[in-house]
Amino acid sequence: MTTTRIDTKFAALKAEGKKAFVAYIMGGDPDMAHSLEVMKALPAAGVDIIELGMPFTDPMADGATIQLAGQRALDGGMTLQKTLDMATEFRKTDDTTPIVMMGYYNPIYSRGVDKFLIDAKAAGIDGLIVVDLPPEEDEELCIPAQKAGINFIRLATPTTDAKRLPKVLQNTSGFVYYVSVTGITGAAAAQPRDVAPEVARIKASTDLPVIVGFGINTPDAARDIAAIADGCVVGSAIVKEVAAGKGTEDIATFVAALAAGAHSA
């Protein structure tokens, strides 16, 4: 597979001896214009990789914060096409920051996998996280995505046992996303002492970077988790700032503190 912006970013971070800070925002929350403004402000705030949420009507892996963000986006007229349009617009001024689209399979399936992958590639999407497609369904989207030069990033969780892990890792690329808590997004705090052995277990089976997400909402937590992995993801805490009606500058300041925490690990 060709080298993606994600691979390039991790190589650069490794050369600098830095951990990755990944930020999640819901595309179109509370509207497309504000969402795009926030997205454009993320790299300058220290974000290494952007996770762009595709709003969906039935987000089963997400807690209330992200569910409500998706609802606000859908109420504001957000669609899969407009999420791709956001990426296209972002790429006009930033050709290096990796964008990972995160969401569910239904909107992609409805659009048609081949068409979606052509459009995603054209929009500058580098990776996909599709939480409801297990490895058994790799032929559906994972394999075609890899062929199109788009990383397919898989989630590993505390319940991914030794028997299941090789299956989860077999066609994964870009990085492995380790879900630090059992349950939904934004529900509980990630505990470094619980996460460390799990990250070590995954790293023993793959050369891919392991990024930890779920339950990280302060600069200290970002530092502590990034210190035991290759980086961390913050989602719900950033989405809460958007939900509170904060302006782009305030959100960027909040994100910058989290990024500084991760980068100090």
Side-chain angles (χ1 to χ4, degrees), residues 160-241:
T160 307
D161 60 21
K163 191 172 169 226
R164 183 70 178 161
L165 188 61
K167 191 90 179 148
V168 168
L169 294 175
Q170 73 181 4
N171 290 315
T172 301
S173 65
F175 60 91
V176 178
Y177 187 133
Y178 179 68
V179 177
S180 65
V181 292
T182 307
I184 49 174
T185 56
Q191 301 298 334
R193 66 177 177 275
D194 298 333
V195 174
E198 292 296 309
V199 170
R201 183 168 73 92
I202 296 165
K203 286 182 83 66
S205 301
T206 180
D207 293 333
L208 291 170
V210 179
I211 302 296
V212 178
F214 286 45
I216 302 161
N217 51 25
T218 66
D220 285 353
R223 181 197 64 222
D224 294 348
I225 294 294
I228 53 172
D230 295 298
C232 68
V233 185
V234 177
S236 295
I238 297 168
V239 172
K240 276 180 182 160
E241 296 290 297

Side-chain angles (χ1 to χ4, degrees), residues 132-153:
D132 55 346
L133 269 187
E136 286 72 18
E137 309 290 336
D138 274 357
E139 296 296 332
E140 286 278 329
L141 179 63
C142 173
I143 307 288
Q146 313 267 33
K147 284 182 180 155
I150 295 174
N151 290 132
F152 198 87
I153 295 147

Side-chain angles (χ1 to χ4, degrees), residues 1-219:
M1 187 176 158
T2 50
T3 303
T4 64
R5 288 185 188 91
I6 296 170
D7 303 326
T8 303
K9 175 60 75 176
F10 277 112
L13 286 166
K14 193 172 183 180
E16 290 176 50
K18 272 169 83 173
K19 300 301 178 82
F21 180 69
V22 184
Y24 171 96
I25 60 165
M26 176 63 77
D29 175 31
D31 57 64
M32 189 165 159
H34 183 47
S35 189
L36 179 59
E37 206 176 86
V38 170
M39 186 179 180
K40 285 180 171 177
L42 294 176
V47 173
D48 298 303
I49 297 171
I50 296 169
E51 276 182 16
L52 181 60
M54 298 183 270
F56 180 53
T57 47
D58 191 21
M60 59 196 179
D62 294 308
T65 302
I66 305 244
Q67 275 192 27
L68 289 168
Q71 203 51 59
R72 285 192 298 273
L74 291 169
D75 290 347
M78 201 60 183
T79 60
L80 175 55
Q81 180 57 52
K82 287 182 179 174
T83 311
L84 290 167
D85 292 345
M86 270 182 72
T88 302
E89 203 54 43
F90 177 85
R91 282 280 172 247
K92 288 179 182 175
T93 53
D94 184 323
D95 194 41
T96 54
T97 305
I99 303 171
V100 175
M101 278 181 86
M102 184 169 186
Y104 298 83
Y105 185 46
N106 190 287
I108 296 170
Y109 177 78
S110 301
R111 190 183 188 90
V113 167
D114 294 346
K115 179 171 170 37
F116 169 75
L117 290 173
I118 290 165
D119 296 344
K121 189 74 181 160
I125 300 297
D126 305 291
L128 297 172
I129 298 174
V130 183
V131 294
D132 55 346
L133 269 187
E136 286 72 18
E137 309 290 336
D138 274 357
E139 296 296 332
E140 286 278 329
L141 179 63
C142 173
I143 307 288
Q146 313 267 33
K147 284 182 180 155
I150 295 174
N151 290 132
F152 198 87
I153 295 147
R154 192 91 64 192
L155 304 179
T157 72
T159 58
T160 307
D161 60 21
K163 191 172 169 226
R164 183 70 178 161
L165 188 61
K167 191 90 179 148
V168 168
L169 294 175
Q170 73 181 4
N171 290 315
T172 301
S173 65
F175 60 91
V176 178
Y177 187 133
Y178 179 68
V179 177
S180 65
V181 292
T182 307
I184 49 174
T185 56
Q191 301 298 334
R193 66 177 177 275
D194 298 333
V195 174
E198 292 296 309
V199 170
R201 183 168 73 92
I202 296 165
K203 286 182 83 66
S205 301
T206 180
D207 293 333
L208 291 170
V210 179
I211 302 296
V212 178
F214 286 45
I216 302 161
N217 51 25
T218 66

